[in-house]
């Protein structure tokens, strides 16, 4: 493990080592974001029978996202005259920082993990919730009623869907008896939790799409609904930070889904000769593809439909899953 390797080095090198590992991981995540945006555009274009980017960077548009980043860097950074300037400036950072912090507890392979803590799952859930504060702060600091409405709607959505998201993984915690993500992966050596907890997977996948503010749950930033929502007053790279947070969370959430329900780096029986990193990558890419597929397929929900679905459908199903899991556990203990 990377942490153990660094701890075996002299103390004066540890700080620099942790910093370099963090920077390297940030570069990996930013590389994923760059080409996840391109992949999303190409897949959406294929599914909707139209061309994706095909001009900047050759036939496949490989440099299109990089060109978009340069455009955002060169755009004027405007701050409304009556905005709460300090809060307006720091809000995108508050929204983005938790998205990167949660990656610390995600074991990507048996050897590549950063912080193997006993409550890794709880850490992920707790830290990711801070992003809601950044979104609220951005809407409030903008001194714009449309931004404020967008931030309030976003907070209501994220809180509403975070509850069934958390409730859906309680069944896994009951089966493993641990909040440690490495222990959860080890428990799936023979059978993945996708097959032991199919209802939980269904709830978790839908709630995670809502938490990511992706279609069909993208009301907080729907241009036709709320004039771009909570970030309507943001421009240039400050606006890009909000979008960057969403795609970093796509990386983190797809990784967490792979860990919780698909066995992480665990290999399929009789194919154990394939390295764990490849297994994790294949499962991870599959989850990302499904999320893009959902975006290409479903229309946007109305606000009342969105809230009703979270509270009246997903939450009761999550409670039902906990009840059924508890019954199964007790039956196995009895027999």
């Amino acid at each position: 493990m990377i942490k153990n390797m660094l701890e075996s080095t002299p103390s004066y090198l540890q700080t620099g080592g942790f910093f370099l590992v963090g920077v390297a991981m940030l570069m990996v995540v930013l590389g994923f974001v760059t080409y996840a945006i391109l992949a999303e555009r190409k897949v959406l274009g294929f599914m909707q029978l139209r061309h994706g980017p095909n001009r900047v960077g050759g036939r496949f548009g490989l440099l299109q996202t990089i060109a978009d980043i340069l455009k955002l860097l060169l755009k004027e950074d405007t701050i409304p005259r009556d905005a709460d300037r300090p809060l307006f400036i720091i809000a995108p950072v508050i929204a983005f920082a938790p998205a990167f912090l949660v990656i610390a507890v995600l074991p990507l392979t048996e050897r590549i993990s950063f912080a193997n803590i006993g409550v890794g799952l709880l850490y992920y859930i707790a830290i990711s919730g801070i992003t809601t504060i950044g979104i609220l702060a951005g809407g409030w600091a903008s001194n714009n009623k449309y931004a404020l409405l967008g931030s309030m709607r976003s907070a209501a959505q994220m809180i509403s869907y975070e509850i069934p998201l958390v409730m859906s993984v309680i069944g896994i915690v009951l089966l493993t008896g641990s909040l440690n993500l490495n222990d959860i992966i080890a428990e799936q050596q023979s059978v993945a939790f996708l097959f032991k907890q199919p209802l939980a997977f269904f709830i978790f996948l839908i709630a995670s799409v809502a938490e990511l503010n992706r279609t069909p749950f993208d009301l907080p930033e729907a241009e036709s609904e709320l004039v771009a929502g909570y970030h309507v007053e943001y421009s240039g790279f400050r606006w890009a930070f909000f979008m960057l947070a969403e795609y970093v969370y796509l990386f983190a959430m797809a990784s967490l889904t792979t860990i919780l329900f698909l066995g992480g780096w665990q290999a399929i029986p009789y194919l154990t000769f394939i390295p764990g990193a490849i297994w994790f990558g294949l499962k991870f890419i599959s989850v990302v593809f499904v999320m893009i597929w959902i975006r290409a397929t479903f229309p946007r929900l109305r606000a009342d439909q969105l809230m009703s679905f979270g509270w009246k459908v997903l939450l009761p199903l999550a409670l039902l899953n906990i009840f059924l899991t508890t019954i199964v556990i007790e039956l196995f203990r009895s027999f």
Side-chain angles (χ1 to χ4, degrees):
M1 293 171 63
I2 292 175
K3 181 181 177 182
N4 293 336
M5 292 170 59
L6 289 171
E7 287 179 347
S8 64
T9 61
S11 58
Y12 63 89
L13 294 176
Q14 285 185 17
T15 303
F18 279 115
F19 176 77
L20 290 176
V21 169
V23 170
M25 193 62 208
L26 179 61
M27 293 300 103
V28 170
V29 172
L30 292 179
F32 164 80
V33 170
T34 300
Y35 286 99
I37 295 171
L38 175 65
E40 185 164 32
R41 289 173 169 178
K42 298 296 281 189
V43 171
L44 290 174
F46 173 77
M47 290 184 172
Q48 296 170 354
L49 300 179
R50 56 182 175 80
H51 294 290
N54 61 359
R55 290 292 182 269
V56 183
R59 178 181 176 185
F60 297 103
L62 296 177
L63 300 178
Q64 181 62 55
T65 308
I66 296 173
D68 292 339
I69 294 171
L70 291 174
K71 177 187 72 174
L72 290 171
L73 282 170
L74 296 172
K75 288 189 73 173
E76 182 182 1
D77 179 25
T78 60
I79 299 178
R81 182 187 60 190
D82 297 326
D84 185 334
R85 189 179 181 89
L87 194 58
F88 186 89
I89 291 171
I90 200 173
V93 179
I94 297 174
F96 166 75
F100 187 64
L101 289 174
V102 297
I103 296 173
V105 295
L106 298 176
L108 304 180
T109 70
E110 195 170 4
R111 294 181 177 274
I112 303 177
S113 62
F114 305 98
N116 183 16
I117 60 178
V119 290
L121 182 56
L122 182 62
Y123 170 91
Y124 184 103
I125 293 166
I127 296 297
S128 62
I130 298 175
T131 296
T132 307
I133 299 173
I135 291 173
L136 274 173
W140 173 264
S142 298
N143 194 28
N144 179 304
K145 61 182 179 182
Y146 294 107
L148 181 59
L149 286 171
S151 65
M152 294 299 292
R153 182 179 284 189
S154 179
Q157 172 179 324
M158 295 180 78
I159 292 171
S160 298
Y161 279 85
E162 191 167 355
I163 294 171
L165 181 80
V166 174
M167 302 279 283
S168 67
V169 301
I170 291 178
I172 293 175
V173 175
L174 290 172
L175 289 171
T176 58
S178 174
L179 289 166
N180 185 292
L181 294 175
N182 286 286
D183 292 345
I184 291 173
I185 292 174
E187 195 71 22
Q188 301 175 75
Q189 189 168 7
S190 56
V191 181
F193 281 132
L194 171 63
F195 304 105
K196 293 181 180 180
Q197 293 275 294
L199 181 58
F201 175 75
F202 170 77
I203 298 166
F204 187 89
L205 182 63
I206 295 175
S208 63
V209 172
E211 284 287 290
L212 293 170
N213 290 336
R214 293 176 61 83
T215 307
F217 303 101
D218 62 337
L219 284 176
E221 60 196 45
E223 293 87 347
S224 60
E225 293 281 338
L226 291 166
V227 200
Y230 59 89
H231 50 61
V232 65
E233 295 289 359
Y234 283 88
S235 63
F237 213 64
R238 296 191 203 282
W239 175 87
F241 254 89
F242 283 116
M243 296 298 102
L244 179 62
E246 290 190 15
Y247 276 93
V248 174
Y249 268 126
L250 177 62
F251 175 92
M253 194 64 78
S255 299
L256 186 64
T257 306
T258 302
I259 291 167
L260 293 179
F261 293 99
L262 303 180
W265 63 80
Q266 299 282 4
I268 294 175
Y270 308 110
L271 294 174
T272 54
F273 60 89
I274 300 175
I278 294 177
W279 279 117
F280 190 96
L282 290 173
K283 296 171 185 178
F284 170 83
I285 291 170
S286 300
V287 174
V288 173
F289 176 78
V290 168
M291 290 187 174
I292 296 174
W293 191 357
I294 290 171
R295 178 175 180 177
T297 305
F298 293 99
R300 182 181 296 134
L301 297 176
R302 295 199 315 264
D304 61 319
Q305 294 173 331
L306 181 144
M307 299 301 289
S308 296
F309 185 70
W311 289 104
K312 296 181 180 180
V313 178
L314 291 188
L315 183 57
L317 287 177
L319 291 170
L320 175 64
N321 182 70
I322 296 172
F323 179 69
L324 293 175
T325 303
T326 306
I327 290 176
V328 171
I329 291 173
E330 288 301 318
L331 286 175
F332 270 96
R333 285 177 179 172
S334 300
F335 295 103

